[in-house]
Amino acid sequence: TKDRFGASMLLGPEGHQAVPGHPHMWAEADGREYLGYDFRNYQTNKSEDRPFKTDDEMGIRRLYWVNGWPTIWTPLTVTFAADDHPDAIGSALTIQLSNGGAPTSLAAFDLVEAYYYDGPSEAFRLCMAKAKTKCDNKKAKAKKDFDKQKKICKKIKKKAERNKCNKDANTLKKKQNR
């Protein structure tokens, strides 16, 4: 049924693991749950006489529950905040899920849900505008102070002292721009 995972496979062939079976589940004292199972390794040059290179081996996976159904896929939540990128507000958002592991590893996504809300409140917008104004004023004051310091440096006759003054002014500017 919709939004249920009862008809989906919990564990199937993956990577080098073939024919997983005989599952058993347990919970540790800390509340984490696990799924134990046996599997066989795929053989690279398999034949009909010997399709697998090993006898049964034991596999263990952490078990999670999503909407009341078990899964071996680690749940993860990703949050995007438009306020972190105000220049992107109003633009289309693309979400791409991919594997960042080794080239031979696989990524699988069992359930993907996306939610949105209409945007920040008016109070938040006012707060951001006030912060931007405060930041702009601070930058303007820093530029004015830097320009004033540079004028003072120009009046210094000795080159070594003038260079030190300019270096100090540039250092001050870098600190103010952080």
Side-chain angles (χ1 to χ4, degrees):
T1 62
K2 187 177 180 196
D3 298 327
R4 304 296 288 195
F5 296 91
S8 64
M9 186 181 296
L10 174 62
L11 186 64
E14 177 187 346
H16 71 283
Q17 297 182 9
V19 294
H22 305 112
H24 47 283
M25 300 182 336
W26 72 92
E28 295 288 325
D30 62 5
R32 291 182 295 172
E33 295 182 58
Y34 291 90
L35 173 73
Y37 57 96
D38 60 48
F39 67 92
R40 293 195 179 174
N41 274 315
Y42 277 114
Q43 181 175 322
T44 52
N45 294 318
K46 59 187 173 187
S47 67
E48 288 192 28
D49 296 335
R50 187 149 169 80
F52 305 107
K53 67 179 180 182
T54 63
D55 292 328
D56 286 352
E57 295 185 34
M58 173 100 179
I60 299 175
R61 296 283 187 94
R62 177 90 186 266
L63 192 61
Y64 301 94
W65 294 87
V66 177
N67 297 335
W69 291 98
T71 182
I72 58 167
W73 306 111
T74 305
L76 53 103
T77 301
V78 179
T79 304
F80 302 95
D83 301 330
D84 292 342
H85 303 280
D87 55 314
I89 293 175
S91 301
L93 171 67
T94 301
I95 301 170
Q96 180 178 346
L97 304 173
S98 62
N99 176 23
T104 57
S105 64
L106 300 173
F109 303 95
D110 194 24
L111 169 67
V112 176
E113 296 177 319
Y115 302 94
Y116 75 95
Y117 72 99
D118 285 333
S121 66
E122 187 59 29
F124 180 80
R125 283 191 190 102
L126 290 172
C127 179
M128 291 300 289
K130 185 176 179 181
K132 184 179 182 324
T133 301
K134 185 176 179 180
C135 182
D136 289 346
N137 289 344
K138 194 174 182 181
K139 283 182 181 178
K141 184 184 180 316
K143 184 178 179 343
K144 185 176 176 183
D145 291 347
F146 174 74
D147 291 344
K148 183 177 175 183
Q149 183 64 34
K150 290 297 266 186
K151 283 181 184 177
I152 291 170
C153 294
K154 281 184 180 181
K155 293 179 182 177
I156 296 174
K157 302 281 187 218
K158 293 183 180 177
K159 185 176 181 178
E161 289 178 21
R162 187 172 60 248
N163 288 345
K164 183 181 181 328
C165 181
N166 284 325
K167 185 178 177 184
D168 291 345
N170 288 329
T171 301
L172 177 66
K173 183 179 182 181
K174 285 179 186 175
K175 284 182 183 178
Q176 290 172 334
N177 284 336
R178 285 186 198 163

